[in-house]
Amino acid sequence: MSEDDRIGLSEPYLAGNARAYLEECLTTNFVSSVGPFVDRFERAFADYVGSRFAIACASGTAALHVAMRLAGVEAGDEVLVPTLTFVASVNPIIYQGATPVLVDAEATTWNADPALIVDELELRARTGRRQPKAVEVVHLLGHPADIVPVAAACDRHGVTLIEDAAEALGARYVGGALDGRHVGTIGKIGCFSFNGNKIITCGAGGMITTDDEALARRAKHLTTQARMPGIEYRHDEVGYNYRLSNLSAALGLSQLEVLGDILARRKQNAARYDRGLAGARGLAPPPRAAWGAPTFWLYTIDVDPAASGTDRTALMARLRERRIEARPIWSPIHTMQPYAGLRAIRGQVAETVFARALSLPSSASLTAAQQDRVLLLLRGE
Ligand SMILES: *Cc1c(COP(=O)(O)O)cnc(C)c1O
């Protein structure tokens, strides 16, 4: 088969002003920490998601690490975080010397079960135990997490709410008090990723969003080595080299300008997969809640071994044999060696989702013909 036959999982969709903006960086010689694109990208991003401030970072992981610092997470603290997520949701808690408490998924959205989070906070309040320093909600695969009850419980108990929206740029809430609001703007701090496989890319990059001016200023400070004004290289705390380069921001801004197109394409792809899977026995489309407008960062199906007569691993192998990239969902954190000592609040739902879920090619650039190839193989035709 030719190279053209390969179908990737989630590839960059480079369009619009990408080339012109990168060219401008080269022409002006602003390729590093100086230049106009970081400010422009931050302003455009904040306007798009509807937060007061946006602070660009070197990666989504860096954004989450700074978020932990902003929330005051330190040694001896605990942070509630889903067990069914990418490892970068969890590691920044450990970078701070704090302890993640891993929360099981709910079957309805595959995000952390809000009831388990609320129960944990209420139980701690009743029994006089120390509350976690933060709750980190993850909007997995582009589907908004059921955040209303979690936000209310965090408010009641003075716990900082952080959103890991790395996979979910453009996802919104529908109906109710949050109608139209973007993920990443509900909690105190939101974090996004612009890695190459995410909804938009800077090559590598991330963003912190907040409505709190003091937090925004401190976030900028921490990402730039906590350097004080003046030329003497004085630093008032231990910071990081987590800033985004002008080059990366130029690409990011061009991507933000075509985000509407990217999201429309992903939605159309999802609808086409939905139709193609209707009637396929034991292959269910991704979970969807009525109160969320997901982005289908990954279109991930549930493979029921009994009903489908196959399983996730066999289907994945069938696709990969034909150079179609398909992948399992993230391994639950509590099942991996470096995290084995952590407390998990249940975990069975996450383990079941992991055993059955299969992510299909989901790039914005995916064509109808490519989707047909995937669907034929899935249906065993
Ligand atoms: C990708 C991702 C991150 C980390 O983003 P990077 O930019 O790759 O550092 C964090 N959390 C989740 C859920 C992710 O999918």
Side-chain angles (χ1 to χ4, degrees):
M1 279 191 185
S2 73
E3 182 61 27
D4 296 337
D5 286 326
R6 203 189 78 84
I7 305 177
L9 188 72
S10 180
E11 298 188 330
Y13 181 80
L14 303 174
N17 287 317
R19 192 175 299 271
Y21 289 174
L22 290 172
E23 192 89 48
E24 187 178 327
C25 294
L26 298 177
T27 315
T28 56
N29 210 29
F30 288 145
V31 294
S32 185
S33 52
V34 181
F37 280 114
V38 173
D39 285 347
R40 285 178 64 186
F41 185 34
E42 289 177 340
R43 194 62 260 151
F45 193 91
D47 289 347
Y48 174 76
V49 298
S51 73
R52 280 187 68 206
F53 304 98
I55 302 92
C57 294
S59 69
T61 311
L64 284 161
H65 189 193
V66 170
M68 293 303 149
R69 283 286 296 268
L70 296 178
V73 172
E74 49 191 49
D77 290 331
E78 290 178 306
V79 176
L80 265 54
V81 63
T83 192
L84 188 62
T85 186
F86 183 51
V87 78
S89 304
V90 178
N91 284 344
I93 301 165
I94 300 172
Y95 298 162
Q96 282 306 103
T99 305
V101 176
L102 304 168
V103 181
D104 199 5
E106 59 168 359
T108 41
T109 67
W110 297 350
N111 286 306
D113 186 337
L116 294 180
I117 297 173
V118 173
D119 285 354
E120 176 71 14
L121 299 192
E122 298 303 339
L123 177 71
R124 288 185 188 218
R126 271 202 313 279
T127 55
R129 277 172 58 212
R130 205 167 147 215
Q131 293 289 358
K133 186 56 78 68
V135 168
E136 181 186 339
V137 156
V138 181
H139 306 285
L140 202 71
L141 308 176
H143 195 297
D146 186 4
I147 205 167
V148 172
V150 176
C154 285
D155 269 352
R156 272 198 303 281
H157 301 295
V159 178
T160 302
L161 179 58
I162 297 171
E163 294 177 73
D164 178 349
E167 302 176 0
L169 174 58
R172 297 162 189 252
Y173 289 91
V174 176
L178 295 181
D179 189 37
R181 294 269 298 273
H182 278 259
V183 298
T185 66
I186 315 297
K188 190 92 180 153
I189 306 157
C191 297
F192 294 83
S193 166
F194 312 125
N195 189 36
N197 62 348
K198 295 287 160 61
I199 296 271
I200 67 171
T201 188
C202 289
M207 195 71 84
I208 297 169
T209 49
T210 183
D211 287 339
D212 183 315
E213 188 167 3
L215 285 186
R217 210 174 290 126
R218 179 130 189 274
K220 194 63 164 181
H221 192 55
L222 285 170
T223 58
T224 52
Q225 305 277 29
R227 185 174 159 187
M228 293 160 72
I231 58 168
E232 292 93 359
Y233 292 102
R234 299 202 65 80
H235 306 260
D236 59 353
E237 59 183 321
V238 178
Y240 313 95
N241 180 12
Y242 277 173
R243 70 186 149 208
L244 193 70
S245 75
N246 196 54
L247 263 180
S248 299
L251 188 57
L253 181 64
S254 76
Q255 287 270 276
L256 201 55
E257 291 169 352
V258 296
L259 177 56
D261 185 23
I262 289 174
L263 293 175
R265 283 164 171 273
R266 285 177 179 269
K267 198 169 160 185
Q268 189 183 37
N269 292 345
R272 234 192 262 132
Y273 273 139
D274 286 347
R275 287 194 299 275
L277 288 172
R281 293 235 318 273
L283 304 182
R288 241 160 284 184
W291 41 261
T295 55
F296 303 101
W297 170 59
L298 293 183
Y299 188 94
T300 305
I301 62 171
D302 174 79
V303 183
D304 179 344
S308 67
T310 178
D311 62 31
R312 181 258 285 164
T313 307
L315 270 185
M316 187 166 65
R318 192 191 294 169
L319 293 170
R320 291 182 83 96
E321 228 165 67
R322 304 298 182 90
R323 297 162 55 77
I324 296 168
E325 191 180 8
R327 294 202 184 187
I329 202 168
W330 313 118
S331 293
I333 302 292
H334 71 273
T335 64
M336 293 187 284
Q337 188 276 330
Y339 311 93
L342 299 177
R343 177 178 164 224
I345 303 178
R346 306 204 189 151
Q348 190 55 53
V349 177
E351 288 176 36
T352 303
V353 172
F354 172 70
R356 295 166 49 130
L358 181 65
S359 297
L360 304 180
S362 307
S363 308
S365 55
L366 198 68
T367 65
Q370 287 177 319
Q371 281 193 289
D372 286 344
R373 270 181 61 205
V374 175
L375 286 162
L376 281 177
L377 286 166
L378 284 177
R379 293 190 303 246
E381 291 166 14

